[in-house]
Amino acid sequence: MESSFMGLREQKALRRYMRGLARQERYALMMYHVDQLTPHEISLVLDLPFGQIVAMIERLGREARLVLERAAQSLPLADTA
């Protein structure tokens, strides 16, 4: 049975990815996924345009999924920037 929890390798890879983000990117990602704020709410908190927040969240989500997939497959982590 496959667990829905991340393994240690994936957790480390995600932490490393998050540390490499700019502060606003990290905050936006955390506000969206942890605090469950809407992109509109995040745009107000960070004082950034709504469209920029939406694009940022989409891009960061794609990059984070790629980091997790590579970690799960034990592939070397390439620079995603």
Side-chain angles (χ1 to χ4, degrees), residues 1 4 6 11 13-14 16 24 28 30-31 33 35-37 40-41 47 49 54 56-57 61 65 69 77-78 80-81:
M1 179 175 179
S4 63
M6 278 190 274
Q11 290 176 20
L14 191 56
R16 186 173 34 236
Q24 287 186 328
M30 296 299 289
M31 284 188 261
H33 288 288
D35 299 328
Q36 298 184 341
L37 296 182
H40 176 72
E41 292 167 325
D47 194 28
V54 170
M56 183 187 301
I57 290 169
R65 279 189 294 280
E69 288 171 8
L77 294 173
T80 57

Side-chain angles (χ1 to χ4, degrees), residues 7-23:
L8 185 58
R9 182 183 305 139
E10 290 89 351
Q11 290 176 20
K12 286 181 178 181
L14 191 56
R15 270 192 234 111
R16 186 173 34 236
Y17 169 72
M18 293 289 287
R19 280 194 304 264
L21 296 177
R23 183 182 309 170

